Amino acid sequence: MIRNQCRALAKACPISSPHLHGRALLRSGLCIALGLLGLVTGAQAAQRLVAWGDIKYDLVINPAETSSANLSQISAGDFHSLALRSNGQVAAWGDDQFNQTNLPAGLGSQPVAGIAAGNIHNVALMQDGTVVAWGPLPGQTGDYGQCAVPAALSGVVNICAGAVHSLALKNDGTLTAWGANWNGQCNVPSGLDNIVAVAGGMYHSLALRRDGTVVAWGDNTHGQTAVPHCRPA
């Protein structure tokens, strides 16, 4: 049974899995997943969302907006979830004590191209290369500047969210970071360029350069920024 469940989930699109719940975006066909709500099974022509894990805050109960729409991306925070529909609209659900599921009014002004969820905040990449972020209000508990998008930020092609910081990759291969900087996770190394991908951890950040090398900075308590030297295969 477990083998069949894993085989079904292997057909899923990229997934995002936080501390207390899992989420998979499945393509057409039969899908099976076992979580704290029990066995979920079904088949339908379009992509659909399957979730499992802690039932607190309705984390594993998908909203109506995700039940019959084609979804292109999913992301999950500590106690909330995000889904991006193929028409560029965003759905958010789960815990809202930090406004993380309260979509900004301006988010629907144009299609959204990408989403990323941090612990208690979200970042959205708009089609025009600008970025929108929401979560804790200024001065509210949990506000560490992770939603304060730099005013001049534009030309963004990719985004990601760490626990309480945000990262934006620009079309010139450079990186902008903002939010909590307790461990230097927002101190992008001087001269870092030719970046093609980025990722944010709890209190550290990583960048993949065009030449295949990886650069990491921020908290190194557990060796997370001590990038190993890898010899070419």
Side-chain angles (χ1 to χ4, degrees):
M1 179 65 73
I2 297 298
R3 182 182 301 171
N4 289 337
Q5 292 165 11
C6 294
R7 185 177 296 124
L9 287 176
K11 299 177 181 178
C13 295
I15 60 175
S16 176
S17 178
H19 303 301
L20 296 174
H21 64 298
R23 196 161 297 282
L25 179 59
L26 299 166
R27 301 187 187 278
S28 59
L30 182 66
C31 59
I32 302 174
L34 185 63
L36 293 186
L37 285 182
L39 188 65
V40 180
T41 180
Q44 64 184 63
Q47 291 178 332
R48 75 183 189 92
L49 195 60
V50 172
W52 60 96
D54 197 328
I55 61 175
K56 190 176 183 181
Y57 303 117
D58 290 337
L59 288 173
V60 297
I61 300 176
N62 300 328
E65 301 96 303
T66 67
S67 62
S68 60
N70 276 332
L71 304 178
S72 60
Q73 190 180 351
I74 52 177
S75 188
D78 263 4
F79 297 104
H80 73 285
S81 300
L82 292 176
L84 177 62
R85 300 172 62 179
S86 57
N87 62 2
Q89 295 181 344
V90 176
W93 65 101
D95 180 31
D96 193 39
Q97 64 177 314
F98 297 103
N99 304 295
Q100 60 267 53
T101 63
N102 185 18
L103 300 180
L107 197 63
S109 61
Q110 61 175 296
V112 175
I115 53 174
N119 278 14
I120 56 174
H121 80 290
N122 305 303
V123 186
L125 172 61
M126 311 303 290
Q127 280 196 346
D128 65 357
T130 59
V131 173
V132 175
W134 69 100
L137 300 175
Q140 181 185 11
T141 299
D143 171 32
Y144 301 107
Q146 66 268 47
C147 298
V149 180
L153 185 62
S154 62
V156 176
V157 295
N158 199 5
I159 53 171
C160 68
V164 283
H165 71 291
S166 306
L167 300 163
L169 174 60
K170 301 184 65 176
N171 55 15
D172 62 358
T174 61
L175 183 65
T176 299
W178 65 96
N181 197 34
W182 307 315
N183 299 93
Q185 61 265 44
C186 292
N187 293 339
V188 180
S190 178
L192 182 60
D193 57 8
N194 291 316
I195 304 170
V196 295
V198 293
M202 185 67 74
Y203 303 125
H204 69 287
S205 304
L206 301 101
L208 173 64
R209 304 187 71 181
R210 192 173 304 279
D211 62 2
T213 58
V214 174
V215 179
W217 61 99
D219 182 26
N220 194 41
T221 303
H222 303 285
Q224 56 268 57
T225 62
V227 181
H229 175 69
C230 298
R231 296 179 179 178

